[in-house]
Amino acid sequence: MSDTAEKPHLVILATGGTIAGSAADDTATTGYQAGALGIDVLVAAVPEVRDFAQITGEQLASLDSKDMSDEVWLKLSRRVNELLAKEDVDGIVITHGTDTLEETAYFLNLTVQSKKPVVLTGAMRPATAISADGPMNLLNAVRLAASPQSFDRGVLVCLNDQIDSARHVTKTNTTSLDTFKSPLGPLGCMNDGRPTFYNRVDRRHAGDTEFEVRNLTELPYVKIIYGHAGDDALFVDAAIKAGVRGLIYAGTGNGSIHKAAEAALARAVKAGLIVVRSTRTGSGTVIPAEQSYSEAGFLEGDSLNPQKCRILLQLALTRTTDLRQIQQMFYEY
Ligand code: ASP
């Protein structure tokens, strides 16, 4: 496209991460400072993005995403909603650390009130590394957000030439460039910079959700407990004592719970906590299992991984504490 006026207007919101990471030498892929480089440096490294969109950049945060917080999520969601409500903004690209990228993407998928494209990207190698992956990932993310095909697909994640849904995607490898996978399948891929979609996610997403976080200053306190052989009641009892509102149990297999933890979780429900069974397997749907689980009032996390169950339960608790309604949300989102 040559005419600037015809190009879509995208806002790039930078939050930090390895894509903005700076290391002492160009062979280092660890031991760097994540989030050190600003949005101007990121965009200047890929001037080609301006061939596909009119770009405005904003530095929203400069975080290593391992330190992501509810506070930054609320700020980010508010800003994305504000920007997308403007007629002259056609889409958003968010640069983010890869560690919690899937969580931010799912939080936005549930709280953005617009169907305009929102694409998250990041990098596994710092910007200063030989063969840094950030520049191509950023260019692809811009081309994806600029594409009319990306409208009403929910929040998208684009790294390593792959397009994934915020709902399905997860980081599966500590260091590989090919780390983001969707156990239920990717949505498509970037072919020579052009988006090609093959799938849609049949769950409610951005532009069709009931969660309104505009006036919130914090989110309900929900924790994850990881099941294992030899588990006990320690963390569950501590959570009850600490006043946690909900617990995700990352169970073995089909959300199975060690009997010692199960008794404690049943006490948690009696104390008013919401307990959701998820799984540590990395894929699959948690479905009804033991009768004692339903008798105790444990909910099922469907096919969301534990960290995404946590986000949905946090948002669910801003609306209701009714078990049946919350379970329904796990089937709808
Ligand atoms: N620790 C970094 C982060 O999540 C890792 C990365 O971006 O790849 O911010």
Side-chain angles (χ1 to χ4, degrees), residues 32-178:
Y32 54 85
Q33 195 193 341
L37 307 176
I39 175 71
D40 297 343
V41 181
L42 291 193
V43 175
V46 203
E48 294 82 357
V49 292
R50 298 193 191 278
D51 296 342
F52 301 96
Q54 302 170 62
I55 302 285
T56 311
E58 279 181 31
Q59 193 74 42
L60 193 113
S62 298
L63 279 176
D64 185 321
S65 79
K66 70 180 176 58
D67 299 323
M68 186 49 70
S69 63
D70 293 356
E71 193 188 339
V72 177
W73 277 350
L74 291 169
K75 183 175 164 194
L76 181 60
S77 174
R78 265 196 294 274
R79 189 64 188 135
V80 170
N81 277 316
E82 248 167 45
L83 288 165
L84 292 182
K86 296 184 184 187
E87 241 173 72
D88 66 341
V89 174
D90 299 298
I92 305 279
V93 170
I94 298 168
T95 59
H96 198 289
T98 59
D99 287 353
T100 59
L101 189 147
E102 71 198 66
E103 293 175 60
T104 300
Y106 190 55
F107 180 74
L108 293 174
N109 198 43
L110 298 178
T111 60
V112 167
Q113 314 291 338
S114 166
K115 296 184 176 180
K116 292 179 186 172
V118 176
V119 180
L120 278 85
T121 193
M124 291 300 287
R125 292 181 181 151
T128 46
I130 298 170
S131 289
D133 50 332
M136 185 55 98
N137 284 346
L138 182 59
L139 180 59
N140 273 340
V142 164
R143 294 187 71 171
L144 181 60
S147 167
Q149 291 184 68
S150 301
F151 190 80
D152 195 18
R153 300 249 181 199
V155 171
L156 302 173
V157 170
C158 183
L159 288 96
N160 206 33
D161 297 338
Q162 189 165 303
I163 307 168
D164 288 282
S165 154
R167 185 186 186 280
H168 294 345
V169 75
T170 190
K171 186 176 183 179
T172 63
N173 188 289
T174 52
T175 54
S176 166
L177 268 56
D178 189 24

Side-chain angles (χ1 to χ4, degrees), residues 83-297:
L83 288 165
L84 292 182
K86 296 184 184 187
E87 241 173 72
D88 66 341
V89 174
D90 299 298
I92 305 279
V93 170
I94 298 168
T95 59
H96 198 289
T98 59
D99 287 353
T100 59
L101 189 147
E102 71 198 66
E103 293 175 60
T104 300
Y106 190 55
F107 180 74
L108 293 174
N109 198 43
L110 298 178
T111 60
V112 167
Q113 314 291 338
S114 166
K115 296 184 176 180
K116 292 179 186 172
V118 176
V119 180
L120 278 85
T121 193
M124 291 300 287
R125 292 181 181 151
T128 46
I130 298 170
S131 289
D133 50 332
M136 185 55 98
N137 284 346
L138 182 59
L139 180 59
N140 273 340
V142 164
R143 294 187 71 171
L144 181 60
S147 167
Q149 291 184 68
S150 301
F151 190 80
D152 195 18
R153 300 249 181 199
V155 171
L156 302 173
V157 170
C158 183
L159 288 96
N160 206 33
D161 297 338
Q162 189 165 303
I163 307 168
D164 288 282
S165 154
R167 185 186 186 280
H168 294 345
V169 75
T170 190
K171 186 176 183 179
T172 63
N173 188 289
T174 52
T175 54
S176 166
L177 268 56
D178 189 24
T179 181
F180 283 94
K181 305 278 180 198
S182 292
L184 290 167
L187 298 187
C189 53
M190 300 299 292
N191 287 322
D192 201 18
R194 286 186 191 79
T196 308
F197 283 97
Y198 296 101
N199 300 309
R200 248 175 209 289
V201 174
D202 192 25
R203 291 291 174 112
R204 292 176 71 181
H205 56 242
D208 173 33
T209 86
E210 66 202 89
F211 306 112
E212 170 60 73
V213 294
R214 197 175 14 192
N215 298 318
L216 297 182
T217 52
E218 55 182 19
L219 294 168
Y221 193 22
V222 175
K223 295 289 285 179
I224 299 170
I225 293 181
Y226 198 97
H228 55 88
D231 203 0
D232 57 31
L234 182 76
F235 286 171
V236 179
D237 285 339
I240 299 171
K241 216 166 147 200
V244 164
R245 302 268 315 276
L247 282 175
I248 309 301
Y249 191 80
T252 49
N254 175 30
S256 299
I257 309 173
H258 191 289
K259 61 185 178 189
E262 184 183 344
L265 287 167
R267 286 199 294 280
V269 176
K270 287 214 175 81
L273 281 77
I274 308 291
V275 171
V276 177
R277 290 167 47 233
S278 183
T279 176
R280 66 178 203 177
T281 57
S283 64
T285 302
V286 170
I287 55 174
E290 313 291 328
Q291 204 182 326
S292 59
Y293 296 166
S294 39
E295 281 168 7

